[in-house]
Amino acid sequence: MREHGAHHRSVVTRRRIYRIPIYRWFCPRCKHTCSVLPDFLCPYARFVTLLREVVVRRRLQQGRSWRDLAWEISSPAVSVVSERTLRRWVRTVRGIAGTWGQFLTAWLLEQRPAVDVFTLVPRHEGPDAALHFLLALGDWLRRQMPVDPVRHRGLFAFLNSFCEAPAPL
């Protein structure tokens, strides 16, 4: 792979919109170009993954209304985030939570084979059981890791940092 330029992209946080460079790489063997995104972004998304994770957690764990969530993450610098956008974020995470939970469980068992993962997190029933499991496993991981990349970047960014991981959040 060799450098093949860069383009700039807007990234939205709670308080500000940034313009960051996204570097491109060219593979002379297969003649393809790819862009390398930082772990706090996912393809075609303007908002950082930590903000998306906050919405999912507050909706699922605190039962916040869509309107409240939209106002909580909006600011004069960013403008109001659509409730429809928030619903799409939660729907997307619900759709891949099972796959991410399996991936995180496998990774955790490689790191600590003696751990019984299913006794670490409370059991949940219903359509959001996989999502509850994923978030609870992430919370347990946050408490266990000596250096805490999960707390500073968020669980979704931590999961996005794995090359072999499923589709990004």
Side-chain angles (χ1 to χ4, degrees):
M1 302 289 280
R2 65 174 192 242
E3 288 184 51
H4 194 60
H7 64 279
H8 285 79
R9 174 175 169 177
S10 295
V11 176
V12 180
T13 65
R14 166 72 173 80
R15 304 203 188 290
R16 205 166 150 206
I17 300 174
Y18 296 90
R19 298 244 338 127
I20 65 168
I22 302 295
Y23 295 97
R24 299 177 56 166
W25 296 87
F26 177 75
C27 176
R29 186 174 176 191
C30 68
K31 309 279 189 243
H32 282 93
T33 301
C34 67
S35 296
V36 179
L37 291 177
D39 63 6
F40 58 83
L41 286 177
C42 52
Y44 310 107
R46 296 182 317 135
F47 293 89
V48 295
T49 55
L50 187 58
L51 192 59
R52 298 158 77 93
E53 182 176 344
V54 165
V55 168
V56 170
R57 283 182 179 278
R58 288 182 183 171
R59 176 68 183 178
L60 187 70
Q61 295 171 338
Q62 299 171 7
R64 296 281 179 70
S65 72
W66 296 112
R67 174 182 274 176
D68 289 347
L69 286 170
W71 283 106
E72 287 173 19
I73 66 166
S74 299
S75 72
V78 176
S79 77
V80 178
V81 180
S82 161
E83 292 176 29
R84 202 168 165 186
T85 298
L86 303 181
R87 283 187 179 99
R88 187 179 68 247
W89 292 353
V90 172
R91 189 173 52 244
T92 299
V93 174
R94 273 187 183 129
I96 60 177
T99 306
W100 271 116
Q102 290 173 352
F103 176 81
L104 190 56
T105 301
W107 177 83
L108 183 59
L109 290 174
E110 283 179 13
Q111 306 301 312
R112 296 185 179 187
V115 169
D116 183 4
V117 176
F118 297 103
T119 60
L120 302 177
V121 297
R123 273 202 121 117
H124 289 279
E125 301 289 327
D128 287 330
L131 188 50
H132 279 287
F133 177 78
L134 175 65
L135 296 176
L137 199 54
D139 292 341
W140 181 85
L141 232 151
R142 177 184 301 129
R143 292 188 303 270
Q144 298 300 316
M145 295 183 90
V147 176
D148 191 2
V150 178
R151 177 169 291 139
H152 299 293
R153 297 178 357 231
L155 175 63
F156 294 177
F158 176 72
L159 290 169
N160 285 344
S161 67
F162 291 97
C163 294
E164 70 276 8
L169 293 168

